[in-house]
Amino acid sequence: MAVGLEGKVAVVTGAARHRGIGRAIAVRLAEDGAHVVATGSPRSPDDFPDEERRAGWRGVASVVAEIEALGRRGLGIDADLTQPDEAERIVAETLAAFGRVDIVVNNAGLAYCGEKNLWEIPDDEWYRVVDVNLNGVYLLTSRALRGMVEAGHGGRIINISSSAGRMGVPQYGAYCATKSGVIGFTQMLALEAAPHHITVNCVAPGSVDTDMMDGTFQHMASRFGSEPASMKQAVVRSIALGRQGRPGDIAGAVAFFASDDAAWITARRSTSTAARPWTDAGRLSRRAARLTPRLRIRPARREAPPPQTRPAARRSKTPGRGCSPATSGATPGRRSRCPPPPTAGQASCPAR
């Protein structure tokens, strides 16, 4: 159990899915003593996966029921985080219900991965991913920080990035760019928030067993003419522990950053992956590289550099070793006519 979360108020975005990381984070923080506001994008029940339908899942309402079953207070909010007024509403409803905000977990994310190269992505698809993964983080964090700084009781900002934010992966388009941006955002904001005793950290998961990751496998299989199960197996084989991460694994890292044990840690990125050193993203990169047609580009021919002549040795302006003006024919202040210093076995000043 994380230390110091009793009675704290946490806002967790992207918490509406049954197999999602956000739900696991919200429940873990409640288990550790926090009251939790769970937010999610509005969805029609017709868009729920079969597993959620069979379980009678109701989005953030089901997450709130789990939180309250643990003896904590919960609040569910359906909101579009890409809209400034919606971010304002989340903060306002949280303050109205609980009177404070102590922890913000920016988990909401969107991925159109594994299917298109950059030049094949429609502009609106790029903008949508940037809006959710980066602009949404900015909008909610900036609104929450206004109250946190004014209250003066410190706090925690925890952003969820990805291993794809540390390493380029083919056909991950805007996802790579935005998750890398989240890491930079974390490091910048940590310096600004530190004087107010607010820490800002980041968790960058590898491959986690979620609906979003399953969708990525389906897109990749479609592009490369393979099966989603084979793409998934390729990832699992690259993971040292022999399995994908579970949402609860990521929730544990978040709970640590939210706890008092991490009070003196800020601007850090926790890489939550059990992959081998080349990482699961790296293996997918190499697989995609093998399946993607290569462009053979000949390097430009480099002209051979012109031959360099060795510069002539400069003669001393003073008489050479063992020479005198009388023997060298030089007068003080004029260039010596003495040859360069002799080698071993030669006279110090041979006769001319």
Side-chain angles (χ1 to χ4, degrees):
M1 176 179 290
V3 178
L5 296 185
E6 192 72 30
K8 296 292 179 67
V9 177
V11 178
V12 181
T13 68
R17 292 186 177 271
H18 185 259
R19 292 181 61 225
I21 293 174
R23 173 211 174 191
I25 293 171
V27 172
R28 173 60 188 269
L29 295 179
E31 289 175 345
D32 291 346
H35 307 302
V36 182
V37 178
T39 80
S41 299
R43 290 185 298 158
S44 167
D46 295 336
D47 297 330
F48 284 17
D50 291 340
E51 181 183 350
E52 292 185 348
R53 294 179 189 175
R54 290 193 297 268
W57 190 252
R58 295 174 294 124
V60 292
S62 294
V63 179
V64 170
E66 291 182 292
I67 293 167
E68 292 177 342
L70 294 168
R72 311 301 174 191
R73 296 171 58 196
L75 174 65
I77 302 176
D78 286 322
D80 181 359
L81 283 171
T82 67
Q83 302 301 316
D85 56 342
E86 292 284 84
E88 297 274 6
R89 180 170 68 87
I90 291 172
V91 175
E93 291 189 16
T94 301
L95 292 175
F98 300 99
R100 60 189 292 158
V101 176
D102 299 289
I103 304 162
V104 175
V105 182
N106 288 301
N107 169 73
L110 180 64
Y112 296 121
C113 298
E115 195 170 15
K116 301 182 183 75
N117 291 311
L118 182 70
W119 57 90
E120 300 168 329
I121 298 175
D123 289 346
D124 58 345
E125 184 176 298
W126 175 276
Y127 296 141
R128 177 62 179 164
V129 175
V130 172
D131 275 343
V132 174
N133 293 1
L134 198 53
N135 293 339
V137 173
Y138 154 72
L139 288 172
L140 180 62
T141 303
S142 61
R143 273 60 178 178
L145 277 173
R146 293 170 187 171
M148 295 169 72
V149 169
E150 183 178 355
H153 51 61
R156 304 282 189 269
I157 306 293
I158 304 161
N159 301 318
I160 307 301
S161 178
S162 167
S163 61
R166 303 178 294 109
M167 170 185 289
V169 184
Q171 288 88 46
Y172 269 52
Y175 190 77
C176 276
T178 54
K179 290 304 183 179
S180 179
V182 168
I183 295 172
F185 177 87
T186 299
Q187 294 169 341
M188 172 279 302
L189 186 59
L191 301 178
E192 294 185 351
H196 305 284
H197 307 288
I198 299 171
T199 66
V200 187
N201 292 290
C202 177
V203 178
S207 181
V208 181
D209 189 15
T210 63
D211 290 334
M212 178 184 287
M213 195 68 218
D214 285 350
T216 298
F217 291 141
Q218 291 175 0
H219 294 156
M220 296 180 68
S222 175
R223 180 173 182 86
F224 299 128
S226 182
E227 295 294 328
S230 66
M231 305 301 293
K232 193 172 195 174
Q233 289 169 3
V235 169
V236 171
R237 283 195 299 269
S238 74
I239 299 175
L241 293 179
R243 67 169 177 85
Q244 288 180 283
R246 301 187 183 101
D249 298 327
I250 312 306
V254 171
F256 168 72
F257 279 132
S259 72
D260 286 351
D261 290 337
W264 209 55
I265 300 175
T266 195
R268 301 303 300 171
R269 182 197 71 220
S270 170
T271 304
S272 296
T273 178
R276 294 188 178 101
W278 54 79
T279 77
D280 48 3
R283 181 175 286 264
L284 289 178
S285 298
R286 287 190 293 277
R287 177 173 175 81
R290 289 195 299 270
L291 296 172
T292 303
R294 292 181 174 88
L295 295 177
R296 296 186 178 274
I297 302 176
R298 291 186 177 182
R301 295 185 61 183
R302 297 180 60 184
E303 300 293 338
Q308 296 183 356
T309 58
R310 187 172 181 177
R314 295 183 60 184
R315 295 181 179 273
S316 174
K317 293 184 179 180
T318 59
R321 294 180 182 177
C323 294
S324 65
T327 58
S328 63
T331 58
R334 296 184 64 183
R335 182 186 297 273
S336 172
R337 296 181 181 178
C338 212
T343 58
Q346 290 184 334
S348 60
C349 183
R352 290 188 177 274

